[in-house]
């Protein structure tokens, strides 16, 4: 049975180096395991791709993983061609034949000349057509008009694959002829480098650590999301799909008989491949254990700092990872370090409008330089070389032409007929920007765990990224409990109050960049609450409840968590909000907040907010506080930390008139919190206090 741990899908290219910035019609690759794929990798030329494949194969072999590597070009030609060229029908001898004759460099190769040479072996009327070069090539026609093919036009696989192109076409839309010429030599070298460990399907038995197979991504993946390069999307989707196949289904797809021509993996099984989830199952972290909130033995009252340290130590990310286009990445958490695929700026360029020249030995006093014809503008660089003693017109942002390392501003120049004059001295490199002076190629541009800002997206785009690996958004379920609650705006009977906590906590979650999941209100009914918790655990990554977190008869949140063996009642030395019920329900962490809205928000901001940062992949972030003079008086007893609703006016911190935790208007009035330490304190006007604006919590 064919079991592979890792799937690598490669979209190949027969063309020249495509540059540092990711582009379409280039080489793209993607690695997937178990239906979850890493972000697609852009490989600018075949030399880079071959080196990358070597490293991937070596890494996977070292880790003891079997690899299925899939390439999107034919592994063989129509029947009879291999024998005509090599004297044998063995297609792998044809691989070696091409490897011995292809000359390949990043900017040039001999594929069209070799196609003409092959055609001349058949009296100039061989199978290949479409010369893609401006010069004529003996034996290689530009079109099919003067064309005679002694072999079948298509393999059996192409005749069954609707829309597939013939392997004889060397250039033009949809051509795969050049891909084969430039791909088979690379595969031949890989086969030699990993001899005894690598097998080629369907020509050899796959009882080795590495299997090379042929694919055609368009067989099952046709379109791509807006703003996403199609080649990158296709390799990701196909890698996910193949890696999610059961060994039995993969064996069925591999069971073909095409010993000379080769075959396309999945051909004839399109419906079964496309029925797989488009994105594939995401790699999910294991659930939290029920003891992640357990307090050390003998601990009863928990100081705030100890409680925060325990949360920081015990929690870890609970969200999956995915790759999204740059345009959808704002506000998401970066899952991996992001290195620059391209330097910024990519080339030396001018910072001003002016004249560029070689300023290596420019002296003082009047200077005169001859001007050359043409100019260098952004996007339209000057293609020639500027001789020493000459100058060329340059516009802001333009690449510096060869021979130019210094620019003089327009305002400092007198321009005449084919001559400019200005005063020196001018420092070499003046008014220019060095390539990579902002970010060098390969340098770390953004660190994992960062919540991506608009500026981050600009940087990612500038250094060549069109797609970013991010964590899935944390889903925060919010539940309000209590018989006394009714929906805001509804008729309230005797003893009933409106549910203020749910809209507050949902909005807090969304303002922090998470997805709020409204689970509604639950009466003081243990079975109803159990079912709501079950639903929340199925749809969310973390659960916030309010009310029922203490130890009274109607405190059903703590009671259910106790029944499940997952309750940890943290009696925090905190005002407001002393009781905090923490637990894990069916693998999902639960924060049982007090029912009082003021205490609920304070506990959510102080404890749940930084904890959710870890759960979301962003890491622990302590709120930024500021030392400011007080505009109030306060005497505080030792033993508990206190948080007062506060705001800043005229550079001083004022607090809400009442400390009553039932005064919801104080939350609306406030713009932050004053944090007063655990010890006894007496604060007088003018004393320095720590003020934490709500913005430091992400609100």
């Amino acid at each position: 049975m064919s079991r592979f741990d890792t799937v690598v899908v490669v979209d190949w290219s027969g063309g020249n180096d495509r540059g540092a910035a990711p582009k379409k019609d280039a080489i793209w690759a993607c690695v997937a395991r178990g239906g979850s794929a890493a972000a697609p990798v852009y490989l600018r030329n075949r030399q880079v791709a071959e080196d990358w494949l070597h490293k991937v194969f070596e890494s996977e072999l070292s880790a003891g993983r079997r690899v299925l590597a899939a390439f999107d070009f034919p592994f063989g030609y129509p029947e009879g061609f291999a024998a005509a060229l090599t004297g044998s029908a063995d297609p792998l001898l044809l691989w070696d034949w091409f490897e011995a004759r292809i000359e390949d460099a990043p900017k040039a190769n001999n594929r069209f000349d070799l196609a003409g040479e092959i055609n001349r072996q058949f009296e100039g009327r061989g199978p290949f057509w479409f010369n893609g070069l401006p010069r004529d090539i003996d034996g290689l026609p530009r079109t099919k008009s003067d064309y005679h093919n002694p072999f079948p036009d298509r393999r059996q696989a192409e005749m069954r694959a609707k829309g597939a192109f013939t392997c004889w076409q060397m250039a033009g839309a949809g051509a795969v002829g050049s891909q084969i010429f430039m791909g088979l030599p690379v595969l031949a070298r890989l086969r030699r480098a990993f001899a005894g460990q690598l097998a080629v399907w369907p020509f050899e038995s796959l009882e080795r650590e590495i299997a090379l197979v042929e694919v055609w991504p368009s067989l099952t993946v046709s379109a791509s999301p807006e703003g996403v390069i199609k080649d990158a999307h296709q390799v990701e989707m196909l890698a996910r799909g193949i890696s999610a196949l059961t060994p039995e289904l993969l064996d069925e797809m591999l069971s073909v008989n095409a010993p000379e021509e080769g075959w396309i993996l999945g051909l004839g099984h399109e419906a079964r491949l496309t029925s797989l989830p488009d994105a594939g199952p995401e790699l999910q972290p294991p659930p939290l254990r029920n003891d992640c909130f357990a307090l050390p033995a003998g601990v009863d009252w928990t100081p705030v700092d100890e409680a925060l340290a325990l949360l920081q130590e015990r929690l870890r990310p609970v969200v999956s990872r995915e790759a999204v286009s740059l345009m959808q990445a704002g506000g998401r958490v970066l899952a991996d370090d992001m290195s620059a695929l391209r330097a910024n700026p990519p080339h030396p360029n001018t910072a001003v409008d002016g004249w560029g020249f070689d300023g290596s030995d420019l002296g003082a006093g009047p200077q005169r330089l001859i001007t050359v014809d043409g100019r260098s503008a952004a996007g339209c660089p000057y293609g020639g070389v500027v001789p020493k003693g000459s100058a060329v017109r340059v516009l802001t942002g333009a690449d510096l032409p060869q021979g130019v390392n210094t620019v003089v501003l327009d305002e400092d120049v007198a321009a005449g007929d084919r001559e400019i004059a200005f005063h020196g001295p001018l420092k070499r490199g003046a008014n220019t920007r060095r390539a990579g002076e902002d970010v060098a190629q390969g340098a770390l541009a953004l660190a994992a765990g960062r919540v991506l800002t608009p500026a981050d997206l600009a940087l990612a785009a500038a250094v060549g990224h069109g797609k970013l690996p991010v964590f899935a958004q944390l889903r925060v379920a919010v539940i309000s409990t209590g018989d006394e609650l009714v929906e805001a705006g509804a008729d309230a009977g005797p003893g009933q109050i409106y549910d203020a906590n749910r809209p507050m906590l949902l909005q807090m979650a969304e303002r922090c960049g998470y997805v709020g999941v409204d689970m509604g209100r639950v009466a003081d009914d243990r079975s109803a609450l159990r079912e709501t918790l079950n639903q929340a655990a199925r749809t969310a990554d973390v659960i916030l409840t309010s009310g029922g977190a203490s130890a009274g008869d109607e405190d059903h949140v703590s009671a259910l968590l106790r029944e499940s063996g997952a309750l940890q009642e943290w009696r925090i030395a905190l005002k407001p909000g002393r009781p905090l019920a923490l637990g894990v329900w069916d693998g999902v962490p639960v924060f049982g907040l007090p029912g009082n809205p003021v205490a609920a928000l304070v506990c959510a901001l102080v404890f749940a907010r930084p904890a959710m940062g870890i759960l979301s992949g962003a890491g622990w972030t302590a709120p930024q506080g500021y030392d400011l003079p007080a505009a109030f008086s306060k005497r505080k007893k030792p033993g508990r930390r206190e948080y007062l609703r506060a705001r800043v006016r005229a550079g001083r911190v004022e607090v809400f008139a009442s400390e009553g935790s039932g005064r919801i208007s104080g939350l609306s009035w406030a713009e932050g919190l004053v944090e007063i330490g655990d010890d006894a304190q007496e604060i007088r006007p003018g004393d320095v206090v720590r003020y934490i604006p709500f913005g430091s919590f992400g609100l």
Side-chain angles (χ1 to χ4, degrees), residues 630 632-635 674 676 681-685 687-689:
F632 62 92
S633 299
K634 165 77 175 176
R635 179 175 293 177
V674 162
I676 304 178
Q681 293 192 41
E682 184 169 356
I683 300 170
R684 298 182 177 88
D687 290 348
V688 172
V689 294

Side-chain angles (χ1 to χ4, degrees), residues 482-493 496-500 521:
D483 286 340
E484 73 278 14
L485 299 179
V486 294
E487 195 71 13
D491 292 334
Q496 291 185 316
I497 59 174
Y498 294 119
D499 181 5
R521 307 178 321 282

Side-chain angles (χ1 to χ4, degrees), residues 559-588:
L560 282 175
L561 291 174
R562 188 180 294 107
E563 283 179 15
S564 71
L567 174 69
Q568 298 296 334
E569 286 184 290
W570 287 20
R571 293 199 293 170
I572 310 294
L574 170 76
K575 178 183 178 181
R578 187 164 43 189
L580 187 64
L582 299 174
V584 176
W585 188 270
D586 198 16
V588 177

Side-chain angles (χ1 to χ4, degrees), residues 121-474:
Q121 295 186 30
F122 301 95
E123 299 179 352
R125 296 175 64 80
F128 297 104
W129 60 278
F130 206 138
N131 174 11
L133 298 179
R135 60 180 171 85
D136 291 337
I137 295 177
D138 183 22
L140 183 61
R142 294 195 178 278
T143 68
K144 284 185 85 172
S145 58
D146 183 22
Y147 169 77
H148 174 73
N149 190 352
F151 306 103
D153 189 56
R154 283 172 166 76
R155 300 182 301 164
Q156 292 297 315
E158 272 89 53
M159 287 192 283
R160 289 189 53 179
K162 185 178 180 181
F165 285 78
T166 173
C167 55
W168 308 118
Q169 182 181 339
M170 293 298 297
V176 296
S178 287
Q179 288 181 282
I180 306 172
F181 270 50
M182 309 314 297
L184 292 184
V186 172
L187 298 190
R189 287 191 290 272
L190 288 171
R191 187 167 174 261
R192 189 163 58 245
F194 294 92
Q197 299 173 292
L198 183 151
V200 181
W201 176 81
F203 312 134
E204 299 177 310
S205 171
L206 297 187
E207 296 176 356
R208 292 181 182 173
E209 290 85 354
I210 303 171
L212 304 186
V213 303
E214 174 189 334
V215 292
W216 184 35
S218 294
L219 191 67
T220 54
V221 186
S222 54
S224 63
E226 185 178 352
V228 178
I229 293 174
K230 181 180 178 181
D231 298 337
H233 177 71
Q234 285 188 324
V235 295
E236 181 182 359
M237 293 300 103
L238 189 56
R240 283 178 170 174
I242 295 175
S243 68
L245 293 172
T246 64
E248 294 80 6
L249 183 52
L250 181 57
D251 267 343
E252 189 177 337
M253 293 182 181
L254 292 170
S255 181
V256 300
N257 182 29
E260 180 179 345
E261 293 189 339
W263 198 256
I264 300 168
L265 181 67
L267 184 60
H269 300 270
E270 293 87 346
R272 301 171 81 171
L273 267 178
T274 55
S275 67
L276 295 170
D278 188 39
E282 292 292 348
L283 182 64
Q284 297 285 348
L288 290 173
R289 298 186 306 174
N290 280 346
D291 63 354
C292 68
F293 292 130
L295 291 172
V299 172
D300 187 9
W301 282 96
T302 309
V304 171
D305 287 339
E306 290 184 21
L308 293 173
L310 285 169
L311 287 175
Q312 188 172 2
E313 175 189 339
R314 305 283 181 81
L315 297 177
R316 52 172 172 70
V318 297
V319 286
S320 61
R321 300 153 62 99
E322 59 187 359
V324 301
S325 72
L326 185 74
M327 304 303 286
Q328 278 90 48
R332 303 292 293 275
V333 179
L334 191 64
D336 294 315
D337 287 347
M338 189 195 81
S339 298
L341 299 176
R342 186 189 198 197
N344 185 51
H347 311 109
N349 65 83
T350 174
V352 298
D353 290 347
W355 294 86
F357 53 91
D358 183 348
S360 301
D361 52 6
L362 189 72
Q367 307 291 324
R368 286 181 171 79
L369 299 176
I370 299 170
T371 60
V372 299
D373 292 334
R375 68 175 191 173
S376 190
C380 298
Y382 179 77
V385 178
V386 179
K388 193 170 182 62
S390 297
V392 66
R393 181 82 169 117
V394 293
L395 303 181
T396 303
D399 287 358
L400 295 183
Q402 189 174 345
V404 172
N405 57 32
T406 306
V407 174
V408 60
L409 277 75
D410 259 345
E411 298 90 322
D412 296 334
V413 173
D417 184 20
R418 304 189 63 80
E419 184 183 43
I420 62 170
F422 59 93
H423 281 282
L426 199 64
K427 185 178 179 182
R428 184 181 187 274
N431 302 311
T432 67
R433 306 183 185 103
R434 301 185 312 277
E437 70 175 26
D438 179 24
V439 183
Q441 184 174 357
L444 177 67
L446 294 170
R450 185 177 180 87
V451 180
L452 294 166
T453 66
D456 293 338
L457 300 188
L459 178 58
V463 298
H465 287 272
K467 206 168 190 180
L468 296 176
V470 296
F471 286 107
Q473 285 182 280
L474 189 76

